[in-house]
Amino acid sequence: MFRSDVIAAYSGGRLPGAIGIVRMSGDGAFDVLDRIFRPKRGKKMSECNFNQMIYGELLAADGQTLDICLACAYKGPHSYTGEDMAEIFCHGSEAIVAAALRSAYHAGARPAEAGEFTKRGFLRGKMDLTAAEAVADLIYARTEQGAKNAAALLEGYHARPLAAMKERLLGLIAHFYAVCDYSDEDIEPFAYAQAAAQVADDARALEGLYEGYLRSSALKDGVPVAVVGRPNVGKSSLFNRLAGFERAIVTDEAGTTRDVVGQHIELEGRLFHLMDTAGIREGAGQAERMGIDRSYAAARDASLIVAVFDGSRPPSAEDLEILRLCRGRTAAAVVNKCDLPACDWAVLADAFDTVLPLSARTGEGLEGLTGWLCQNAPDSGEILITGQRQAALIREAAEALRQAQQSAELGLTADAFLLDAERAARLIGQVLGEDVDIDITEGIFSRFCVGK
Ligand SMILES: Nc1nc2c(ncn2[C@@H]2O[C@H](COP(=O)(O)OP(=O)(O)OP(=O)(O)O)[C@@H](O)[C@H]2O)c(=O)[nH]1
Ligand SMILES: [Mg+2]
């Protein structure tokens, strides 16, 4: 295996904080550690147990004690990077961390680049490229659901079946070559129908993965939810209630909101992208009319619609336009201002499965709406591929397999089948990080933070 220099970086959260983590990795990491951390019990760090927290003194570059804290050494290859690695858990002060890093550099380490620890893990075969990408997903996860998805990807939820698929394909290809090259020997003849069925199964699996990727934006960008209604019914008030702060302007004038106002919220571990919109009405001025066009566009593009009505006033023609807008969509009707004397809104029962009386002013009935949002968020608990790089390769591999399937079904020459099957196997390998261009891997790791 290649030798690698010792890298060091700060790997913890924002400083100051309770604990700061200084991490190092590489051949000679334990030499650096021995020079900058002295266990209280007298032994050197490199003589203590691995994977065990050791209490001791963190030393500055001049040898003076900087902090009394903990450190842990991890012996390669059983570490995150696959190399000898160590972490020092010092007090989370900027001064201590900066001095500890200076001390590590003085002892022979160099500053790590963004994502370099994970890159080393990848290059040492500790993880495939999908797992490395999942690490970035984990770090940037905005919700519990996003983190769970990333954790499953990190554990090879899709990578393992993909690796198996590639092996099966290679087996099929090898069999094909054997039949062609040693036709007079006792090799089972090649069954085109069976080959066609196998690549069709694989193509279907890949297509499913790609479709999942198209749905995965809900994990990162949130489920888009449009709040629509005629002016002054309380859309912005409701939107602010859900956001938990005064995000949008509220006045008692009709036509307050002119533009789409977006806000991410998390409910029960899921991410939603709420959009407050301009009230829909006829005869508005130019700016408001442009806003109303955007309301329609937001409603069209959203997965879920929250249609708001003013329960203290009778239904109007403008309200009926909202009913029309929601037809055939996943929409809930909110009959707002339930703190005021109510008018008859029975008309909504025909148009909506869900009608929720609510007061944006007092918050009464809000849990009915949040419950509806969570129930209707498209989440099947399915683990989705999230990376555009992987998705593009998977789609291409699926297309190659469909072509191979066609060649097999038509009984074309072996060449036609082999060419596409081999291309598919290569593309699947690239998903996992085999034969991937150095520029591509550099691009992936540079998106990480320093210290990971
Ligand atoms: N009593 C009562 N008043 C409310 C409630 N929700 C909103 N309002 C009032 O209704 C008025 C309009 O509220 P907004 O939230 O600005 O209504 P909107 O639908 O966003 O209006 P536009 O942006 O003009 O389309 C304000 O005076 C709010 O205080 C409610 O639940 N009860
Ligand atoms: Mg508004």
Side-chain angles (χ1 to χ4, degrees), residues 80-417:
Y80 182 71
T81 54
E83 306 171 334
D84 287 352
M85 214 182 136
E87 285 169 336
I88 298 170
F89 303 88
C90 57
H91 288 94
S93 111
E94 270 182 53
I96 295 176
V97 166
L101 284 173
R102 262 200 308 279
S103 186
Y105 302 150
H106 187 253
R110 69 155 170 86
E113 290 162 17
E116 198 171 0
F117 291 95
T118 309
K119 182 162 118 189
R120 288 182 172 203
F122 166 66
L123 292 175
R124 296 251 175 196
K126 291 297 290 187
M127 58 183 109
D128 67 43
L129 204 51
T130 66
E133 286 166 314
V135 170
D137 274 7
L138 263 180
I139 292 174
Y140 295 111
R142 305 177 72 144
T143 59
E144 182 178 325
Q145 190 194 11
K148 287 176 180 165
N149 195 81
L153 295 178
L154 180 59
E155 300 221 277
Y157 187 90
H158 290 310
R160 262 178 281 114
L162 283 173
M165 183 187 291
K166 186 187 154 199
E167 285 311 309
R168 269 200 315 277
L169 270 174
L170 292 179
L172 190 69
I173 292 164
H175 183 188
F176 223 117
Y177 275 119
V179 172
C180 297
D181 294 351
Y182 308 100
S183 50
D184 45 348
E185 292 186 23
D186 194 14
I187 294 174
E188 209 182 310
F190 200 78
Y192 266 109
Q194 217 178 319
Q198 180 183 326
V199 293
D201 278 351
D202 290 345
R204 205 168 309 119
L206 293 178
E207 285 155 2
L209 280 182
Y210 184 73
E211 282 155 23
Y213 163 73
L214 297 179
R215 288 192 300 272
S216 73
S217 65
L219 288 176
K220 287 180 173 167
D221 307 330
V223 178
V225 182
V227 181
V228 298
R230 70 169 177 77
N232 232 16
V233 292
K235 297 179 296 300
S236 300
S237 307
L238 179 62
F239 172 82
N240 288 346
R241 237 319 134 202
L242 287 166
F245 69 108
E246 298 298 305
R247 171 75 175 85
I249 297 171
V250 169
T251 72
D252 53 11
E253 275 170 44
T256 303
T257 306
R258 296 291 175 88
D259 217 333
V260 176
V261 182
Q263 179 65 36
H264 281 107
I265 62 164
E266 189 186 330
L267 297 171
E268 292 179 16
R270 293 209 191 90
L271 190 66
F272 294 86
H273 185 231
L274 284 185
M275 285 166 287
D276 184 22
T277 64
I280 291 175
R281 65 167 163 185
E282 290 291 336
Q286 193 190 359
E288 198 182 336
R289 257 203 326 275
M290 290 169 78
I292 292 171
D293 287 344
R294 291 179 185 203
S295 303
Y296 279 107
R300 186 191 59 223
D301 296 341
S303 301
L304 304 177
I305 297 181
V306 175
V308 186
F309 304 93
D310 183 344
S312 69
R313 288 165 180 267
S316 69
E318 283 159 348
D319 289 313
L320 298 180
E321 165 64 9
I322 304 299
L323 293 195
R324 198 195 54 72
L325 181 73
C326 294
R327 208 168 291 145
R329 304 292 305 274
T330 310
V334 165
V335 184
N336 192 30
K337 310 196 186 181
C338 73
D339 52 298
L340 299 177
C343 292
D344 180 7
W345 277 88
V347 59
L348 294 177
D350 288 339
F352 292 92
D353 290 337
T354 307
V355 179
L356 303 161
L358 194 149
S359 168
R361 176 162 290 176
T362 66
E364 191 188 335
L366 194 73
E367 60 296 335
L369 180 59
T370 53
W372 180 84
L373 288 170
C374 290
Q375 267 167 27
N376 288 280
D379 166 32
S380 51
E382 168 190 28
I383 303 303
L384 304 174
I385 285 211
T386 54
Q388 200 236 333
R389 180 195 75 87
Q390 297 174 31
L393 291 167
I394 283 171
R395 187 163 80 157
E396 222 184 305
E399 281 166 8
L401 288 180
R402 285 296 181 200
Q403 274 162 22
Q405 178 195 352
Q406 237 180 21
S407 307
E409 280 169 357
L410 297 173
L412 296 182
T413 60
D415 285 357
F417 175 83

